[in-house]
Amino acid sequence: MSQNDSQKIRIILTLNEEEFFGLKILPKADFLEIRLDQFRSEKDAPEKILQKIKDLNASCVFTYRQPEDSSLKSLGVWNMENIVPLLSGLESGKHYIDLELDKDNPVFNGIDEDRFGIIRSVHSFSGIPEYEELLFFLRPVTEEVLATAKSGLPFQRIFKIAALPKNNQESKDFQDSALKLSKLCAKQNIPIGFCGILMGESGKEFRIFPEKLGSQFTYCCLGEPKAPGQVDLETLLSKRK
C-alpha cells in the first residue's frame, strides 16, 4: 500500500432500508453502510438486498447495532438464519463486516471472516474511554491482522472508536488519543485502518475533516443522521472541495 493510498479519506454512507432501496445510482461514497437493524428481516430480505447491491455495483459495510449501541429503534431482528444467505451471496474481498470489540456479535457468529474485511469497533455514549482502555482494545486487532489474507480492500482490519464526550475537555482528550492510535495502527507490519469518530455537535468538524483525528474513514448520512452529530453526504462533499 502506498503512502498516499494509506492517507486517503474514505467515505462510508450509512443507510436505512428506505434510503438504500430508493437509490437509483451509486452515491459518491466509497462504501454503503447497510445498518441491518434498520432493515426489515422478512424471508426475502437477503435476496432483495443482494440484488440491489449487484445493481449498484456497491461495496458495503454490514452492521447490526444492538439497542444500547444505537440512538435508533430497531426495525428488524436478524439472526444466523437470515444473515447467512445474505453474506454467502456477496463477492469475496469487496465488503466489510462491523464486529463490536467489547461485546458478543451473535448475529455474525460462524461467518467466514476470510471473505470480508473486518471493522473492529467500540462505541461509548457515556464519555470518552481512557487511552489505556483504547490500547487494550487495539491489541487483539494487531494480532488478528497478521493472519488475514490480502484482498482489494484498503485494509483487512479497521479499528473504529466512536465516543460521545461529556464536555470540552473530554473532546480534547479524544483528539489526542485518536492521533496516537492512528500512528500506532499505521506502524503495524500490516497496517490497520483507523476510524476515529467524535460524536455529537463538537465532533461535526472532525466528521467532515477526519484526518484531523488521524482517521482514514468518515461516516455520513443521506437524510436523517444515524448517529449523534452525523453530517449528510452533500454537506461533507461540498465542504471538502
Side-chain angles (χ1 to χ4, degrees), residues 89-208:
L90 293 167
E91 181 181 340
S92 294
K94 188 175 180 178
H95 309 280
Y96 283 100
I97 294 175
D98 186 308
L99 300 177
E100 293 171 278
L101 267 166
D102 53 345
K103 52 175 59 78
D104 292 332
N105 299 271
V107 72
F108 292 121
N109 281 350
I111 64 166
D112 182 0
E113 292 190 9
D114 290 342
R115 297 183 62 241
F116 303 95
I118 303 295
I119 299 173
R120 295 291 188 186
S121 61
V122 177
H123 299 81
S124 174
F125 288 87
S126 56
I128 302 301
E130 295 287 339
Y131 179 66
E132 288 301 319
E133 183 180 357
L134 296 176
L135 274 181
F136 172 80
F137 285 122
L138 175 59
R139 288 188 190 109
V141 186
T142 62
E143 297 170 3
E144 186 180 270
V145 74
L146 297 174
T148 59
K150 291 183 179 180
S151 74
L153 292 166
F155 300 94
Q156 289 306 115
R157 290 293 184 273
I158 298 169
F159 182 51
K160 175 188 173 186
I161 303 294
L164 183 64
K166 293 178 181 177
N167 50 50
N168 287 336
Q169 184 57 51
E170 283 203 346
S171 179
K172 292 177 182 177
D173 291 344
F174 183 79
Q175 294 171 48
D176 292 339
S177 293
L179 287 169
K180 289 190 283 188
L181 289 166
S182 175
K183 291 176 182 177
L184 280 177
C185 288
K187 286 180 180 177
Q188 302 303 309
N189 289 334
I190 300 176
I192 296 168
F194 177 69
C195 179
I197 299 176
L198 191 62
M199 293 189 286
E201 288 299 313
S202 65
K204 283 189 173 182
E205 172 191 358
F206 303 107
R207 287 185 179 273
I208 297 168

Side-chain angles (χ1 to χ4, degrees), residues 47-65:
E47 183 181 345
K48 288 181 177 179
I49 294 171
L50 284 169
Q51 185 59 53
K52 189 67 176 180
I53 292 170
K54 183 178 179 181
D55 292 344
L56 294 169
N57 191 25
S59 295
C60 299
V61 174
F62 291 89
T63 304
Y64 187 76
R65 284 281 167 262

Side-chain angles (χ1 to χ4, degrees), residues 8 19 42 45-46 49-51 64 66-67 77 90 140 160 173 191 204 216 218 230 233-234 241:
K8 179 182 176 182
E19 292 165 344
E42 279 91 348
I49 294 171
L50 284 169
Q51 185 59 53
Y64 187 76
Q66 300 180 58
V77 177
L90 293 167
K160 175 188 173 186
D173 291 344
K204 283 189 173 182
Q216 295 142 320
T218 188
Q230 203 175 55
L233 178 62
E234 185 177 351
K241 280 184 179 178

